Amino acid sequence: MKSLWFFDEIDMFGILCPHKFKAYKECHQFNKYPKNNYIYFEEDKGDSIYLIESGKVKIGYYTEDGREVVKAILTKGEIFGEKAILGEDTRTDFAMAVANTTVCPVTVDVLQELMKENKMLSTKVYKFIGFRFKKLERRLQILLFKDTRTRLIEFLEELYEDYGFCCKITGKKIIRHPYTQKDIASLIGASRPTLNQLMNELKEENYLSFQRNEIWLLK
């Protein structure tokens, strides 16, 4: 099983968290956010990245007419706010805790010191950022140009890449993921009733079967 927080089999949280380094441990702390609290807003100063120690974080932005566009929902071990590393002074999206969440904030200055001391780490971080940008660009293209059914099917294929495995006994593709139905609906730009309808239609067509946090792709 794979997850974004393991990039090239490297635990980014374990490597980047200042608590792992004696020089930074004493002056560093975790921040806790209750469910539905914002971690940062659009237009906030972008001077830190964040590592998720526990919980779940929604990344998105609001259109001019006030519609929310969800770019990603991230879970334990994942990184967000990474544009700050590239010199983004002002946030272009928001980050909200969608469950009680604990994050490890790392200022750009501290991260740059860590990367300066470890060239391999620096390479891994920039590769990770490139991978994340490519994934988000693909997600936005799906949201903008494809119908809801196609968005769901392509999202399930993407979900299999991140959280799926093939059962050696049955040969079925199994996805064990951390998302609720509300999360998935947000990520494909659909309402929960529409998502439920599409999932049941795909189930009737023998495309998939599902239960809580587990989906089987049958075709």
Side-chain angles (χ1 to χ4, degrees):
M1 188 182 301
K2 295 179 291 184
S3 178
L4 281 180
W5 61 298
F6 284 99
F7 181 73
D8 285 347
E9 300 182 353
I10 298 296
D11 178 355
M12 299 297 285
F13 183 93
I15 289 176
L16 295 179
C17 180
H19 279 85
K20 306 292 182 180
F21 301 88
K22 186 176 181 179
Y24 303 102
K25 185 175 182 179
E26 291 184 2
C27 61
H28 186 263
Q29 63 182 14
F30 288 102
N31 294 340
K32 297 180 182 295
Y33 295 88
K35 181 179 179 180
N36 295 330
N37 276 33
Y38 284 91
I39 298 167
Y40 58 74
F41 298 91
E42 295 178 68
E43 307 299 330
D44 277 359
K45 185 177 181 181
D47 58 359
S48 299
I49 69 163
Y50 298 84
L51 314 173
I52 304 175
E53 196 273 335
S54 65
K56 193 183 295 184
V57 175
K58 175 170 65 176
I59 307 297
Y61 65 91
Y62 294 101
T63 62
E64 291 184 359
D65 59 2
R67 183 171 63 89
E68 181 184 88
V69 177
V70 178
K71 297 165 63 177
I73 294 178
L74 308 175
T75 56
K76 180 179 178 179
E78 295 195 82
I79 301 172
F80 63 98
E82 66 276 0
K83 288 182 182 178
I85 306 172
L86 304 180
E88 180 188 70
D89 295 325
T90 305
R91 302 291 187 190
T92 56
D93 49 29
F94 67 78
M96 174 193 282
V98 291
N100 292 334
T101 298
T102 301
V103 301
C104 167
V106 185
T107 65
V108 172
D109 289 342
V110 169
L111 182 59
Q112 288 176 341
E113 286 180 22
L114 294 175
M115 291 168 65
K116 191 181 297 182
E117 295 169 3
N118 188 328
K119 298 299 182 184
M120 183 64 72
L121 170 62
S122 180
T123 299
K124 290 292 182 182
V125 168
Y126 284 119
K127 281 187 176 180
F128 178 87
I129 292 173
F131 176 77
R132 172 67 61 78
F133 284 177
K134 185 176 181 180
K135 191 177 184 70
L136 290 180
E137 182 180 6
R138 181 171 178 266
R139 172 74 52 76
L140 291 175
Q141 287 177 342
I142 291 172
L143 284 173
L144 290 172
F145 301 114
K146 301 193 177 181
D147 62 86
T148 310
R149 179 187 170 96
T150 303
R151 294 202 299 267
L152 174 58
I153 290 173
E154 294 198 11
F155 175 76
L156 292 175
E157 293 172 352
E158 184 180 290
L159 208 59
Y160 178 73
E161 292 178 4
D162 293 337
Y163 298 100
F165 62 97
C166 184
C167 178
K168 293 181 180 179
I169 298 174
T170 64
K172 291 180 180 178
K173 294 180 177 180
I174 301 173
I175 305 169
R176 290 180 183 153
H177 62 88
Y179 301 126
T180 64
Q181 283 196 334
K182 182 179 179 180
D183 292 339
I184 295 174
S186 295
L187 286 166
I188 67 170
S191 65
R192 287 182 67 181
T194 298
L195 173 65
N196 289 335
Q197 179 182 340
L198 287 171
M199 291 289 286
N200 286 321
E201 287 177 0
L202 292 172
K203 185 176 181 179
E204 290 176 3
E205 295 170 14
N206 255 352
Y207 180 85
L208 56 76
S209 182
F210 61 91
Q211 62 181 26
R212 182 181 177 84
N213 297 118
E214 191 163 297
I215 299 171
W216 298 273
L217 299 181
L218 307 177
K219 292 184 178 180

